[in-house]
Amino acid sequence: MTAQPISVEKNASVDFSACTIKGEVLYFADKSALVLMNDEHGGMERLSVNLEAYGLQPKPGHVFIKDWSEGAGVAASLADAGLVELVEKYAVGQFASTAYEARIIL
């Protein structure tokens, strides 16, 4: 059974590489997942990424956020809004793409 998500911010604006989407940011602690709920853009947009394939596991209360492709700018947008604190930067994959470990600010 999945635990209930925690609302981080009900009226967030999150900047993606090509657009800004507004909605509610939810944190699923049991899955180390951060999502943006928005009815206008298909319901749910995942903000966090799983990096277990690279041997990385976020600390409790943290998530990983990719900073490449459509995710470019998401980490900075969330940090600028005071929803997360970027605590560590990683280079992952064959192209050494940037991902951040972010502490959820509740």
Side-chain angles (χ1 to χ4, degrees), residues 5-89:
I6 299 166
S7 180
V8 178
E9 175 62 49
K10 290 200 180 290
N11 297 304
S13 291
V14 181
D15 296 326
F16 291 81
S17 61
C19 65
T20 298
I21 301 176
K22 296 180 181 186
E24 182 175 12
V25 175
L26 299 173
Y27 172 55
F28 292 81
D30 61 329
K31 304 284 186 194
S32 296
L34 196 64
V35 300
L36 177 66
M37 299 300 296
N38 178 291
D39 293 333
E40 294 178 30
H41 291 86
M44 182 183 83
E45 185 68 40
R46 191 173 172 102
L47 302 174
S48 60
V49 64
N50 183 320
L51 297 178
E52 287 179 10
Y54 303 106
L56 299 171
Q57 192 79 295
K59 296 176 190 81
H62 294 65
V63 296
F64 292 119
I65 302 171
K66 71 179 190 174
D67 197 36
W68 68 86
S69 190
E70 72 283 351
V74 170
S77 177
L78 294 169
D80 289 347
L83 306 180
V84 301
E85 175 190 6
L86 304 179
V87 296
E88 190 142 1
K89 182 177 177 179

